[in-house]
């Protein structure tokens, strides 16, 4: 995941140089009126406190069988998306935005067990949990543009709809056989929330800007197993997923 984030964080250095060089030629503030389309790449972090607690209970069950897995802590994730907005002559705007992201956590532990008739087998258990947007997180909001010389500052607030999918994969391996047993269980749900965004646009070309924005969102949803037959203490039928969190986006906007 870190490899996918590094190119995104390097973009401001590459694109920002050309954008600022063009700013001396373009004297007017960008995107003050009309339609604009943007594409973005960035990083974000969600809370996941309820999910991490549920996964901690799963690890407690495995600990009773002699397996020790690390404490769950989902890392930052790369995210990619796009937006469509319209800026009115008075500076107000309406904005729709869609974004895809995926978070993942995994760990594995093993132990040596006695075999009937003598000898020992090494048995390992691995778990992977993925949380991803299903298909995208969408937002719709209103805001205002504040041109300052040859840049434009924008703030926006809006509502969010977040279809979320959780996929749990468990792999049991016996090295001596060798044998593997893998199970994959999915759960899905749709949640609602709110989001606040602050952005700054720098001119790159006559109708194009490089922009950087930060956002904070609040919301949650319950995901339910797609197949209720898997309902257990290991994969509960219902789990709460918080998509509360914050992040940063770098994008190009055309208007």
């Amino acid at each position: 995941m870190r490899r996918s984030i590094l190119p995104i964080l390097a973009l401001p250095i590459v694109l920002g140089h050309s954008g600022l060089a063009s700013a001396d030629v373009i004297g007017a503030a960008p995107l003050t009126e009309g339609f604009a389309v943007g594409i973005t790449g960035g990083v974000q972090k969600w809370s996941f406190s309820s999910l991490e607690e549920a996964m901690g209970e799963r690890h407690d069950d495995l600990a009773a069988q002699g397996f020790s897995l690390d404490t769950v802590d989902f890392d930052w994730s790369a995210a990619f998306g796009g937006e469509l907005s319209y800026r009115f002559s008075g500076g107000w705007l309406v904005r729709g935005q869609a974004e895809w992201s995926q978070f993942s956590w995994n760990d594995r532990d093993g132990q040596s067990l006695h075999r009937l008739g003598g000898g020992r087998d090494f048995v390992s258990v691995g778990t992977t949990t993925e949380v991803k947007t299903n298909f995208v997180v969408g937002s719709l909001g209103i805001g205002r543009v504040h041109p300052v010389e040859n840049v434009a500052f924008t703030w926006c607030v809006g509502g969010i709809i977040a279809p979320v999918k959780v996929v749990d994969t468990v792999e049991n391996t016996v090295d001596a056989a060798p044998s593997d047993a893998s199970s994959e269980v999915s759960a899905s749900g749709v949640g609602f929330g709110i989001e606040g965004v602050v952005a700054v646009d720098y001119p790159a070309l006559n109708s194009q800007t490089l922009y950087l924005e930060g956002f904070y969102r609040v919301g949650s949803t319950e995901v339910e197993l797609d197949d209720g037959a898997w309902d257990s203490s290991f994969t509960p039928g219902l789990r709460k997923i918080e998509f509360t969190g914050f992040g940063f986006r770098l994008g190009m906007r055309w208007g």
Side-chain angles (χ1 to χ4, degrees):
M1 204 280 293
R2 290 187 177 88
R3 293 179 180 176
S4 64
I5 290 177
L6 288 175
I8 295 171
L9 297 180
L11 280 175
I13 300 173
V14 178
L15 297 177
H17 177 74
S18 60
L20 291 175
S22 303
D24 295 333
V25 179
I26 305 169
L31 301 175
T32 54
E33 186 176 353
F35 281 103
V37 177
I39 57 173
T40 62
V43 292
Q44 58 185 259
K45 186 172 179 62
W46 293 7
S47 170
F48 291 130
S49 57
S50 296
L51 177 61
E52 290 172 355
E53 181 179 344
M55 292 174 65
E57 295 176 359
R58 172 192 301 176
H59 293 178
D60 290 342
D61 291 343
L62 289 172
Q65 303 173 43
F67 298 98
S68 177
L69 298 179
D70 289 341
T71 301
V72 182
D73 184 13
F74 284 90
D75 204 349
W76 289 74
S77 170
F80 305 92
E83 70 159 60
L84 175 65
S85 61
Y86 184 83
R87 289 157 171 76
F88 298 93
S89 58
W92 292 96
L93 65 89
V94 292
R95 172 182 179 268
Q97 199 257 353
E99 189 170 61
W100 175 91
S101 62
Q102 176 175 307
F103 300 82
S104 181
W105 184 92
N106 64 83
D107 194 20
R108 176 177 288 275
D109 188 42
Q111 58 178 310
S112 181
L113 301 178
H114 286 286
R115 188 193 319 143
L116 289 176
R120 303 179 71 89
D121 290 331
F122 186 80
V123 179
S124 65
V125 174
T127 68
T128 300
T129 297
E130 296 178 337
V131 183
K132 50 191 171 183
T133 52
N134 185 29
F135 169 65
V136 294
V137 170
S139 64
L140 180 64
I142 60 172
R144 190 170 178 83
V145 183
H146 301 276
V148 180
E149 296 183 353
N150 62 343
V151 299
F153 294 92
T154 303
W155 61 264
C156 186
V157 294
I160 297 172
I161 179 169
V164 176
K165 186 170 187 176
V166 178
V167 179
D168 293 286
T169 304
V170 180
E171 296 179 338
N172 300 318
T173 303
V174 180
D175 289 351
S179 64
D180 296 285
S182 178
S183 301
E184 184 176 286
V185 183
S186 62
S188 53
V190 179
F192 300 90
I194 57 175
E195 180 181 64
V197 177
V198 177
V200 57
D201 282 81
Y202 299 90
L205 297 172
N206 286 331
S207 60
Q208 179 180 318
T209 67
L210 168 71
Y211 70 99
L212 177 66
E213 68 180 22
F215 68 91
Y216 183 79
R217 63 167 64 112
V218 178
S220 65
T221 182
E222 282 192 333
V223 293
E224 184 176 4
L225 291 177
D226 296 333
D227 183 354
W230 288 99
D231 189 354
S232 66
S233 60
F234 206 86
T235 51
L238 284 175
R239 282 172 290 178
K240 184 179 180 181
I241 305 295
E242 297 96 347
F243 48 87
T244 295
F246 64 98
F248 305 94
R249 304 183 184 110
L250 177 70
M252 297 298 297
R253 225 191 299 259
W254 294 265

